[in-house]
Amino acid sequence: MAEPGSGTTTNETLSARALRAFGEHFPGREARLFRAPGRVNLIGEHTDYNDGFVLPVAIDRQAMLAARTRPDSMVHLWSESYAQGSTFDLNDITSDQERPWSNYVRGVALMLQQEGFTLRGLDCVLVGDVPIGAGLSSSAAVEVVAAYAWRALCGLKLDDPQLALVCQQAESRFVGVKCGIMDQFIAALGRAGHALLVDCRTLDYGRIPIPAGIAVMVCDTKVRRGLVESEYNRRRQECESAVHMLRRHLPEIKALRDVTSGQLQRYRDELPDTILRRCRHVVGENERVLRAVTSLRSGDVGVLGDLMRQSHDSLRDDYEVSCSELNAMVETAEATPGTIGARMTGAGFGGCAVGLVEQAVAADWMEAVRVGYRTRTGLEPDIYACRPSDGAGEVENCQRPPAYSGGDSSGRGAATGAMCA
Ligand code: GLA
């Protein structure tokens, strides 16, 4: 969850909103301004918590935090969009049931402290334009912007991958959604014009340029389902049981990441049907991500489109996390000229599809898909091109920290070494 937004707010007006609200609630004090983006995932869905591969893009929708340190341990947090405040003491962080939007910030503070960092109190204001519950990782954007602000304001020595891990812990252990690392990682490490290939076991990553002439489309079905968290946690459990069962034959495996299609085929009769289908999705999806990267690098986007189609079919039939509206959106996109590939993105059960589209026909494409989807479902979708964007940073002083790797486009956590894929 994050800040509600109109969906059309520009970066500039978000900054202005954040600073104006800060001035109103904390008069006479100057703030520093931080931002962290939402994301769309091109391919690699429900693979991150199986130690697998993902290929997300940071988008030009974001959470922003205007913040200033206090001399005490209190955090005074105001949500400009919810028009609510929430106050807590860093010495006694509990969850706020009445203002659950504040728990992402509370969780981040607690996890940073549990990592041994000393935090200072803050006066801060949160704004954002990542739509809530749309599968664009509004919650990760809030977590990452909060962690980024504390790191900058208190001089904390943690690198971007560690910062992402702390935020994932906040969501998993404090908020209670047992998410993988993808959303926080891309929010921290995204790069303009690039997708990010992440090995979710080692946290090796590589930045993959989006070829010129391709538009990344976000297609919001406008359907929001309440089932997401329980179904999400259930899928995780199914994957864990699968590993447990397969270990009878493959004692060396630690996660579904370690299982090949051939091995799955060999032991398929040992698995209940539902578990087999879950495994088939994860094992196939990991292979698809790596093939997608090869096709992006070689410019063979036809292959990428096929892989996106296969990914959607697998999420719909084997992993069972799609829904009729997402299927209608993807089918409408597939039938529209200029489509390279389309699939649901994020956890599923509603939210958004992602489409890769020939830039030259993007305007006509948006209109055709909007009309087609509305005709099929009676719902008015929100369809827009997103700009692959940078990860978290400070606004107006947007110096990125030095790269962690020997090269400028890839890295291995805090150490050096490019990712091979
Ligand atoms: C949510 C989670 C991610 C990932 C996706 C599905 O966005 O937060 O960690 O598991 O679902 O790919």
Side-chain angles (χ1 to χ4, degrees), residues 172-226:
S172 177
R173 290 174 41 205
F174 192 82
V175 178
V177 181
K178 309 281 173 219
C179 64
I181 188 65
M182 171 170 69
D183 304 344
Q184 293 79 7
F185 207 85
I186 182 68
L189 284 117
R191 178 67 55 87
H194 293 73
L196 192 66
L197 169 65
V198 187
D199 177 335
C200 298
R201 168 171 283 165
T202 61
L203 299 190
D204 286 1
Y205 62 93
R207 294 193 170 107
I208 317 294
I210 305 284
I214 294 185
V216 181
M217 295 291 182
V218 175
C219 308
D220 189 342
T221 62
K222 291 292 191 64
V223 175
R224 309 283 185 260
R225 293 259 157 79

Side-chain angles (χ1 to χ4, degrees), residues 39 41 44-49 54 135-137 139-140 168 171 177-184 228 232 236 315 343-348:
R39 62 104 187 90
N41 188 17
E45 220 63 83
H46 290 275
T47 46
D48 59 354
Y49 53 83
V54 294
L136 300 177
S137 294
S139 54
Q168 179 206 16
E171 180 129 0
V177 181
K178 309 281 173 219
C179 64
I181 188 65
M182 171 170 69
D183 304 344
Q184 293 79 7
V228 187
Y232 184 90
R236 268 197 91 132
L315 288 157
R343 54 180 287 283
M344 57 153 277
T345 189

